[in-house]
Amino acid sequence: MAPKASMRRGRPKSVNPPSSSTGIQALNRGLDVLEALASHEGVTLTELSVHLGQSAATMYRVLTTLEQRRYAEASPEGQWFVGPEAFKRGSAFLRRTNIVERSRSVMRDLMSKTGETSNLGIEREGHVLFVSQVESHEMIRAYFPPGAISPLHASGIGKALLSAFDEEGLEGFIKGATFTRFTDKTIASAGRLREELQATRQRGYAVDDEERTIGMRCVAACILNRYSEAVAGISVSGPTARMPDVRLREIGVLVTDAAREISRRLGAD
């Protein structure tokens, strides 16, 4: 898609045509732009330039190169967005595993039984990466779009996955963890985390009790592969008012049953 003449804020007053660039620096710059587009719901050329500390001319050359390959696209108002090709290529990551496909019907059933949003996530670099979601029909609901991330220590799925770590793996995580505090209920120490993981193992499911967002709760359990390795987590998330203490056990049973069914589909015993 060629740049539109009406994109006043999307084009600097004077730029040279895109030139071929080689080398890691050029690749890094392109990836920086793509990541910035993905983290904003529309960004102008000026905003992007300030955000990345680069000149408008440089940013425009990168953007138009990405636009030519459909990795970026611009609106008539001059805002830039991630393009469809980025989603298409990014989806190849999910095709490496059949977890999403095999989980989908179970997630829909779990949402139907609980009335709350069902989420699927995997561990990536100390975070939960959400890869699928079935949203509740309720007006007020949890929302974790595919590609969203959350720290392991402040996530239901994250704590479910951590509970399956062996001692060496857990110690390695703790040594590198920053324990960012999001609310007054966020677990903010290694000792507290160990206590919570022990409780998670005893219950069979993890609970995020307003630790990431005030007013929201989450119940999660691990999904195992054929080697009995924890490869993902499934959860139910919703407002605390609809997930009071008296419902947590009921929801926990439904979530663990769902995790067990997906694990079975992946070949676990």
Side-chain angles (χ1 to χ4, degrees), residues 140-142 183 185 208-218 237-243:
I140 299 175
R141 57 188 181 267
T183 75
K185 293 189 175 184
D208 165 8
D209 184 11
E210 300 183 289
E211 295 161 41
R212 185 67 174 83
T213 305
I214 290 295
M216 300 298 291
R217 273 180 167 167
C218 173
S237 301
T240 306
R242 293 202 305 265
M243 293 179 63

Side-chain angles (χ1 to χ4, degrees), residues 50 55 58 82 102 124 156 162 238 240:
V50 171
S55 70
T58 296
V82 170
R102 299 204 175 198
R124 279 296 179 273
L162 283 172
T240 306

Side-chain angles (χ1 to χ4, degrees), residues 2-15 45 56 60 64 78 80:
K4 298 180 179 63
S6 61
M7 295 178 193
R8 298 185 182 89
R9 288 185 294 163
R11 180 192 298 271
K13 293 181 179 179
S14 177
V15 298
L45 176 64
Y60 185 72
T64 53
W80 290 86

